[in-house]
Amino acid sequence: MAVISNLNFITGNKNKLAEVRAILGNVVVVESQAIDVPEIQGTIEEIAKEKSRRAAEVVGGPVLTEDTALEFRALKGLPGPYIKDFLGALGLEGLNKMLDSFEDKTAEAVCTFAFCRGPGEAPMLFQGRTEGKIVRARGPSTFGWDPIFEYNGKTYAEMAKEEKNQVSHRSKALAKLQCWLAEGQI
């Protein structure tokens, strides 16, 4: 099995790219390519696998893709993998309003990385989850829904990057990927 020293991370999001490089940088060189890959409807895992498969076909080689979900317990997992569309349509305040009539404000942030060796290969998934709750926006609005997701008394937006990288759903998924890479699985 060929060892890969560089990962082609398919993203156009500079904040995600910075987090991935900060966490994986000591194991592998993370390069980036923005490819418009259509997203299917489905579960978090189905969406992640299909996105990775399609990206590998476009690139013609190994790729790493990432999908993020935000599951509101009161809404039985919604908005889930469709959080980007919900955030775009409703904004932070609208996401809060979705939960106004519910006592339960708990949520789970989910990050799923999918690694695909190339066209025709089955993607491998690495998933991380962080339990928190949805609160009124606090902190800078520079990275998606970070201002409304609170973990241990602080929103992601209120945390320093290093602090967030220790507790986030993305860091947990990347830790699993990092272990797999360190074992020389690719």
Side-chain angles (χ1 to χ4, degrees):
M1 193 173 304
V3 175
I4 296 173
S5 59
N6 293 18
L7 268 182
N8 194 3
F9 181 39
I10 307 302
T11 187
N13 185 319
K14 63 182 171 72
N15 292 315
K16 284 183 185 180
L17 178 61
E19 282 187 9
V20 170
R21 282 182 170 156
I23 295 167
L24 287 184
N26 61 339
V27 176
V28 66
V29 175
V30 179
E31 297 173 350
S32 177
Q33 190 170 351
I35 296 174
D36 189 24
V37 181
E39 291 194 25
I40 64 163
Q41 301 269 322
T43 67
I44 298 166
E45 294 80 10
E46 290 166 345
I47 293 168
K49 285 179 181 179
E50 186 62 19
K51 184 176 180 180
S52 182
R53 275 190 207 104
R54 290 182 183 193
E57 289 172 7
V58 171
V59 171
V63 296
L64 180 67
T65 61
E66 186 264 1
D67 280 278
T68 298
L70 185 59
E71 300 178 333
F72 296 174
R73 188 158 291 125
L75 299 178
K76 305 206 183 311
L78 280 175
Y82 310 110
I83 184 60
K84 182 178 176 181
D85 294 324
F86 275 68
L87 179 60
L90 304 173
L92 295 171
E93 186 60 28
L95 290 173
N96 268 283
K97 286 180 181 179
M98 287 174 59
L99 292 178
D100 278 350
S101 63
F102 295 94
E103 202 171 303
D104 187 355
K105 309 287 190 223
T106 58
E108 191 168 37
V110 184
C111 178
T112 306
F113 280 92
F115 172 77
C116 188
R117 293 181 193 282
E121 298 286 332
M124 296 267 313
L125 298 183
F126 305 89
Q127 194 171 79
R129 294 175 172 267
T130 299
E131 298 258 346
K133 67 180 180 178
I134 302 302
V135 297
R136 296 292 178 211
R138 299 192 319 254
S141 296
T142 55
F143 196 2
W145 42 263
D146 279 9
I148 65 165
F149 185 77
E150 183 183 272
Y151 173 79
N152 205 21
K154 285 186 182 176
T155 66
Y156 275 177
E158 292 173 312
M159 295 179 184
K161 286 180 184 179
E162 298 77 22
E163 182 181 5
K164 180 184 174 192
N165 285 348
Q166 294 295 312
V167 301
S168 77
H169 54 301
R170 187 168 292 111
S171 69
K172 292 173 183 176
L174 285 171
K176 291 175 183 177
L177 175 61
Q178 188 174 30
C179 286
W180 187 74
L181 290 170
E183 292 170 1
Q185 296 295 314
I186 62 170

